[in-house]
Amino acid sequence: MQRRQFLATAAASALAAGCHDAPRALEGSFTGIDIARGHALRDL
């Protein structure tokens, strides 16, 4: 394997490693957020 081929493979691998799906949004109950209470406070 030549140095140029090795560097190209390493660069391509590094770029492909960063490609993944975005994390899912957190649910309100998981974070302790009460949506009804938040709306009631907003409407005061």
Side-chain angles (χ1 to χ4, degrees):
M1 177 180 276
Q2 294 181 347
R3 182 174 185 262
R4 182 174 294 170
Q5 184 182 7
F6 173 75
L7 292 176
T9 303
S13 297
L15 290 175
C19 298
H20 53 79
D21 294 337
R24 293 178 36 207
L26 295 175
E27 296 293 329
S29 60
F30 177 76
T31 58
I33 298 171
D34 185 5
I35 295 175
R37 183 184 301 165
H39 285 246
L41 290 172
R42 179 194 66 189
D43 294 337
L44 286 178

